[in-house]
Amino acid sequence: MELQLGLALPTPNMVKGFDLNNHGLDQLKEMGGLEAWNKAAGCFADKDCVKSKRSFEQAFGNFTEECRTKPLLLWSGQPNEEEDHKDQKKATFSTTDENDAEEDDQVVGWPPIKTWRKKIFQQQQQPRVGRAENNRVAENENGRSIYVKVKMEGVAITRKVDIKLYHSYQSLTNSLITMFAKDKKCDEDDYILTYQDKEGDWLIAGDIPWQ
Amino acid sequence: MNYFPDEVVEHVFDFITSHKDRNSVSLVCKSWYKIERYSRQRVFIGNCYSITPQRLIARFPGLKSLTLKGKPHFADFNLVPHDWGGFVDPWIKALAKSRIGLEELRLKRMVVSDDSLELLSKSFPNFKSLVLVSCEGFTTDGVAAIAANCRFLRELDLQENEVEDHRGHWLSCFPESCTSLVSLNFACLKGEINLASLERLVARSPNLKSLRLNRVVPLDTLQKLLMRAPQLVDLGIGSYVDDPSSEVFSKLKAVIQLCNSIRSLSGFLEVAPCCMSAIYPICENLTFLNLSYAPGLQGNDLTKLVQHCRKLQRLWILDCIGDKGLGVVASTCKELQELRVFPSDPFDAGNAAVTEEGLVLISAGCPKLNSLLYFCHQMTNAALITVAKNCTNFIRFRLCILDPVKADPVTNQPLDEGFGAIVRSNKSLKRLSLSGLLTDQVFLYIGMYAKKLEMLSIAFAGDSNKGMLYVLNGCKKLRKLEIRDCPFGDVALLEDMGKYETMRSLWMSSCEVTLGACKTLAKKMPSLNVEIINESEQLEFSLDDRLLVDKMYLYRTLVGHRKDKPEYVLLL
């Protein structure tokens, strides 16, 4: 599934977007949560279709300028990671591992806690008694992660983010800005979050309720 | 010494046990090299790709104990893709073919298969000890083979491994004749085991000193096991849930009173806080307490427990103990040498469980503190400077501020001065991990003062190549350097290429190193393997030397390129 999220720089004309990939999708297929996520995000994915990773992009809306934040940089329309890399002066080898559905970091590998230890916490959040019946519920609450790749204009390296860890667009945006602040000095106010829908259009995140 | 016959020299060497010392001794002269190699029994190989098993066997025919490490450290945090390497199979195969009488194998971050374990169990009649830490690739079938075939097994220690659990009959595979167990740790296994088999095993193991149970072992079994093994020194509790008014719980309380040899307590993989009071009687003897896997214990529970632990030397705990709780630790645990505080909820910044205050309290109260791992939400320069005044004995100092580039919240400054103070006053520092907002200045300090530093972990820090250069030039004892997401590039990488031959390894990911620079390095330094890990969907590597490399891992080796690299690794 590809959800393309973008954080924009102040110039309205430049268009470079974010590339979000949902990871761990295979694990989500049993979850009621996935459905809710799909619907909330405006995706019309069929339950049956969710058997393997797919692209899943959402409708792209218009920018409006009621906020102080400047418009986002949009992707030049290429969902393809390699092409995007070629556009940049310093291309990078991509780092994301599509098959690794086991991470639940904000940034890949951060904070530096052993994966094993994190798994213990996840398991412990599941009640042991009656686990079979509680599976659906437990998995929803359990924090099986939905990973999304995020790129910021001007920064060579993508980050991976687990959307499940956040409860609002604001907290997601704040975290992303903090994450990218290292690479590019930026003010909080200058950036907006956008995402790309399946038609390749960019929407400002926040129009649809977080859930 | 040259006038003594070889046997005398060899006898003298028996007293030289540390790896470093034995390595030094072997370099003195040919005669000593020869004597040392025939008498060497224990070998430590920090990077399994630095040498081949064949050469190991050829040099040390008397080998009895082998320690091997595989993947780089950052593999713990998912930065190394699966099947990168670190396979133990070729080692076990080679050892099995040889005449080596292997008795002990200790592996860390390696890929182990059931077949390897089975071969191991059948090839060495005197095999006594298997320790697997952070390994993967095997199932409980492999464990069963070890249990079944190693007639004199003393130690089976599985720590934090990824083991596929086939619902253990493995425990029942220990034959009735096996009575030699000293240490059994299966805490990392997830599946059910035969509790009756476990009880019988413990009952027939009079030498059992260390027992660490997994989550499925319930409290009433624990009580029965402790009845059988009151001599235990190290206990890892599995499930610790019961009704405090139950008869079983009363029995447990009674039997715990008898276990006055227990010095080390861990586990509590499932715990009911109301049951913790039963533990208090053994707390006063504890030197190691690990509650870092225990969910659901609140700060109060932890504090109450710790108040009983006056002799504690090592404490691993979750940050829900809070700053106040750390204050209690500081006033109670005067013998404390090692503290590890793990985050109970790494992503919830709203619940700032421990801050710089807790650390300052600990530093003030625990004069023997020499090893720290501390996850917190914020840190100040002032606090670090205070810690540096209070504590000058640090060997390991690892601070992880959960927000990767967070400045000092009071002054908004980077944390350069704080870490600078730490390295300045702790002259024995061997291992350091940095975090928070950091400029090149901190590396200047590290290069100037951290003269004994052997391992350095850096993330999201620095401004320019100068940072990395300060470290490479100043830290003469540096062995392992791991860097992620820092603006260090080719200039730093290539300035002193010979330096890497004095180190075990260098990891750089998401930095500014180009493919061209890596190629240059590889070409000039044939004694290094320079690996580029490329996970992109591109099937071929672009050959443009200007491309930034995402992950580079280089290490010194005596045996050139490894033959088992996966497709996505480019060996230059």
Side-chain angles (χ1 to χ4, degrees):
Chain A
M1 302 211 296
E2 282 205 6
L3 198 72
Q4 315 252 340
L5 261 189
L7 268 185
L9 283 185
T11 357
N13 294 329
M14 300 213 354
V15 172
K16 267 195 203 168
F18 291 81
D19 173 26
L20 290 183
N21 282 322
N22 268 327
H23 292 260
L25 187 56
D26 293 333
Q27 297 171 8
L28 299 177
K29 57 188 173 183
E30 305 302 340
M31 289 168 56
L34 176 60
E35 278 251 69
W37 166 256
N38 287 352
K39 289 193 178 130
C43 166
F44 305 99
D46 225 64
K47 218 199 272 195
D48 296 328
C49 292
V50 185
K51 301 254 192 269
S52 56
K53 289 181 191 153
R54 295 180 302 109
S55 272
F56 149 36
E57 292 149 315
Q58 292 156 345
F60 178 44
N62 296 321
F63 292 115
T64 50
E65 253 319 73
E66 65 256 343
C67 31
R68 277 185 304 132
T69 49
K70 313 268 170 36
L72 296 166
L73 291 186
L74 301 174
W75 199 303
S76 52
Q78 299 302 326
N80 186 318
E81 221 173 271
E82 285 87 38
E83 296 193 46
D84 182 60
H85 281 144
K86 284 183 190 138
D87 289 340
Q88 300 178 6
K89 281 176 208 146
K90 281 182 177 178
T92 63
F93 292 116
S94 162
T95 64
T96 55
D97 179 4
E98 297 269 7
N99 295 320
D100 186 356
E102 288 174 346
E103 300 166 30
D104 55 350
D105 301 336
Q106 275 185 333
V107 177
V108 176
W110 191 269
I113 304 171
K114 280 189 187 169
T115 319
W116 196 83
R117 189 175 277 278
K118 282 191 271 197
K119 280 191 185 157
I120 290 269
F121 286 134
Q122 277 186 343
Q123 280 167 24
Q124 286 169 342
Q125 280 160 28
Q126 276 182 3
R128 224 158 71 81
V129 178
R131 196 184 303 194
E133 317 88 80
N134 285 339
N135 250 349
R136 273 179 86 86
V137 174
E139 274 179 297
N140 276 338
E141 295 163 351
N142 188 18
R144 293 288 198 173
S145 318
I146 302 175
Y147 290 106
V148 143
K149 238 192 286 181
V150 183
K151 252 198 307 223
M152 176 183 278
E153 149 72 7
V155 174
I157 291 165
T158 58
R159 307 260 179 230
K160 239 200 272 198
V161 167
D162 175 5
I163 293 194
K164 276 237 154 200
L165 300 170
Y166 300 96
H167 22 264
S168 71
Y169 289 107
Q170 189 57 43
S171 64
L172 171 61
T173 312
N174 287 344
S175 267
L176 287 171
I177 289 184
T178 310
M179 229 180 272
F180 283 105
K182 190 59 217 162
D183 303 300
K184 202 171 172 72
K185 309 294 177 215
C186 51
D187 296 323
E188 263 182 52
D189 293 338
D190 288 343
Y191 288 86
I192 309 183
L193 201 61
T194 54
Y195 60 89
Q196 187 175 35
D197 69 355
K198 69 176 153 206
E199 276 141 45
D201 298 325
W202 286 96
L203 279 172
I204 295 182
D207 293 335
I208 295 164
W210 180 255
Q211 285 74 22
Chain B
M1 288 286 273
N2 283 340
Y3 305 111
F4 292 127
D6 286 359
E7 305 82 63
V8 175
V9 178
E10 187 182 321
H11 184 64
V12 172
F13 286 179
D14 281 347
F15 295 96
I16 303 173
T17 47
S18 98
H19 292 295
K20 279 194 184 140
D21 289 343
R22 290 204 72 118
N23 293 346
S24 305
V25 145
S26 69
L27 293 173
V28 167
C29 62
K30 277 196 190 148
S31 159
W32 280 29
Y33 177 88
K34 190 178 120 214
I35 298 170
E36 198 281 323
R37 68 176 264 254
Y38 280 111
S39 62
R40 176 100 87 152
Q41 293 186 344
R42 314 180 69 88
V43 174
F44 169 87
I45 297 178
N47 174 4
C48 64
Y49 291 119
S50 60
I51 193 75
T52 60
Q54 288 75 19
R55 284 180 62 165
L56 171 75
I57 293 165
R59 180 167 170 191
F60 299 115
L63 182 69
K64 289 208 165 60
S65 163
L66 177 62
T67 303
L68 277 174
K69 292 190 180 180
K71 300 186 198 182
H73 174 233
F74 275 174
D76 283 351
F77 317 129
N78 266 346
L79 287 174
V80 177
H82 283 308
D83 62 274
W84 167 86
F87 305 106
V88 78
D89 200 57
W91 292 85
I92 296 183
K93 283 206 171 98
L95 287 162
K97 266 197 230 155
S98 75
R99 292 162 65 183
I100 300 270
L102 194 69
E103 293 184 11
E104 182 177 293
L105 186 62
R106 310 166 76 93
L107 305 177
K108 186 166 186 180
R109 278 187 221 105
M110 293 201 72
V111 179
V112 180
S113 67
D114 285 346
D115 287 344
S116 302
L117 290 176
E118 188 171 350
L119 183 59
L120 177 70
S121 73
K122 290 181 173 162
S123 307
F124 306 105
N126 267 335
F127 193 76
K128 295 195 172 69
S129 170
L130 180 64
V131 180
L132 302 179
V133 180
S134 300
C135 296
E136 55 169 358
F138 60 106
T139 77
T140 45
D141 294 346
V143 180
I146 298 286
N149 302 324
C150 299
R151 295 172 55 212
F152 302 112
L153 194 68
R154 288 201 202 143
E155 182 175 22
L156 177 59
D157 186 355
L158 306 174
Q159 296 177 34
E160 298 186 345
N161 302 291
E162 293 284 353
V163 185
E164 197 181 299
D165 205 311
H166 291 168
R167 307 283 122 142
H169 298 293
W170 65 271
L171 206 90
S172 315
C173 290
F174 282 104
E176 291 301 315
S177 55
C178 172
T179 58
S180 47
L181 271 182
V182 173
S183 168
L184 178 63
N185 174 5
F186 60 95
C188 67
L189 298 184
K190 298 169 208 135
E192 306 292 331
I193 52 156
N194 186 321
L195 298 176
S197 284
L198 177 60
E199 287 175 49
R200 284 197 301 273
L201 179 62
V202 170
R204 66 177 185 274
S205 303
N207 298 320
L208 194 67
K209 294 281 189 292
S210 168
L211 179 64
R212 296 194 182 189
L213 308 169
N214 75 348
R215 198 171 159 214
V216 309
V217 179
L219 192 138
D220 66 319
T221 305
L222 172 67
Q223 179 262 322
K224 291 182 200 159
L225 294 172
L226 291 179
M227 288 281 284
R228 307 273 196 189
Q231 79 281 3
L232 282 179
V233 172
D234 171 19
L235 174 64
I237 291 180
S239 171
Y240 194 66
V241 175
D242 204 344
D243 179 351
S245 60
S246 76
E247 193 188 325
V248 167
F249 192 69
S250 311
K251 281 196 205 162
L252 178 71
K253 276 203 283 200
V255 78
I256 284 186
Q257 310 258 14
L258 301 175
C259 298
N260 46 26
S261 301
I262 295 183
R263 297 286 173 273
S264 161
L265 188 60
S266 62
F268 296 96
L269 305 174
E270 215 176 49
V271 57
C274 48
C275 295
M276 290 309 281
S277 54
I279 300 293
Y280 296 166
I282 49 173
C283 284
E284 54 182 61
N285 291 325
L286 287 181
T287 57
F288 176 42
L289 177 61
N290 181 356
L291 293 171
S292 65
Y293 300 121
L297 289 178
Q298 301 302 322
N300 285 340
D301 307 312
L302 297 173
T303 308
K304 267 194 263 174
L305 188 68
V306 157
Q307 274 172 330
H308 292 88
C309 303
R310 293 184 181 285
K311 294 200 188 140
L312 216 53
Q313 294 174 12
R314 298 166 61 212
L315 175 64
W316 294 25
I317 204 147
L318 291 176
D319 65 358
C320 39
I321 192 173
D323 286 333
K324 280 221 193 87
L326 288 179
V328 174
V329 172
S331 49
T332 311
C333 308
K334 295 305 184 185
E335 303 295 315
L336 197 68
Q337 295 176 26
E338 175 178 326
L339 175 66
R340 299 196 188 193
V341 180
F342 295 95
S344 41
D345 194 352
F347 305 108
D348 183 1
N351 175 30
V354 297
T355 68
E356 72 276 12
E357 289 179 22
L359 184 59
V360 169
L361 289 171
I362 291 282
S363 72
C366 305
K368 299 191 181 177
L369 195 66
N370 62 37
S371 176
L372 181 75
L373 172 60
Y374 196 77
F375 285 86
C376 57
H377 288 278
Q378 64 178 46
M379 184 55 58
T380 64
N381 281 311
L384 285 174
I385 291 169
T386 306
V387 169
K389 279 207 195 88
N390 294 336
C391 292
T392 57
N393 297 321
F394 276 121
I395 299 173
R396 275 170 241 110
F397 190 89
R398 296 155 71 189
L399 181 67
C400 179
I401 302 165
L402 291 165
D403 179 343
V405 290
K406 192 163 172 142
D408 180 330
V410 171
T411 63
N412 252 330
Q413 293 298 303
L415 291 174
D416 303 333
E417 296 306 312
F419 279 105
I422 294 287
V423 295
R424 204 161 30 234
S425 75
N426 287 278
K427 306 203 189 302
S428 312
L429 195 66
K430 285 195 185 167
R431 183 170 180 183
L432 178 64
S433 299
L434 306 171
S435 59
L437 183 64
L438 295 165
T439 71
D440 284 347
Q441 185 72 7
V442 73
F443 299 112
L444 175 68
Y445 291 141
I446 291 172
M448 261 196 327
Y449 297 111
K451 292 304 183 187
K452 299 255 172 83
L453 195 66
E454 296 181 11
M455 182 170 178
L456 180 62
S457 309
I458 311 173
F460 304 100
D463 309 310
S464 75
N465 284 314
K466 279 203 232 153
M468 186 168 164
L469 286 170
Y470 290 140
V471 170
L472 291 175
N473 292 333
C475 299
K476 304 292 182 199
K477 301 257 176 165
L478 197 63
R479 291 190 300 117
K480 289 181 276 183
L481 180 58
E482 44 186 27
I483 305 173
R484 62 163 295 180
D485 293 275
C486 296
F488 304 145
D490 299 347
V491 169
L493 182 71
L494 297 180
E495 159 111 346
D496 180 5
M497 293 188 261
K499 171 84 176 169
Y500 307 124
E501 274 181 338
T502 70
M503 292 168 55
R504 184 187 300 172
S505 64
L506 169 67
W507 168 282
M508 290 181 77
S509 61
S510 304
C511 296
E512 291 172 11
V513 169
T514 65
L515 182 58
C518 294
K519 284 183 183 171
T520 305
L521 181 57
K523 196 163 169 197
K524 295 239 167 86
M525 304 293 299
S527 58
L528 301 178
N529 277 354
V530 181
E531 295 194 9
I532 309 295
I533 296 172
N534 175 29
E535 297 168 86
S536 86
E537 286 151 12
Q538 288 173 297
L539 293 174
E540 304 161 12
F541 291 95
S542 168
L543 294 176
D544 189 338
D545 283 359
R546 290 168 302 159
L547 290 184
L548 289 189
V549 152
D550 189 56
K551 291 177 185 169
M552 179 203 73
Y553 179 55
L554 68 83
Y555 50 89
R556 67 180 174 190
T557 177
L558 293 175
V559 293
H561 285 182
R562 59 183 174 114
K563 312 278 187 299
D564 62 0
K565 69 172 192 69
E567 269 183 24
Y568 54 78
V569 169
L570 177 62
L571 266 170
L572 299 178

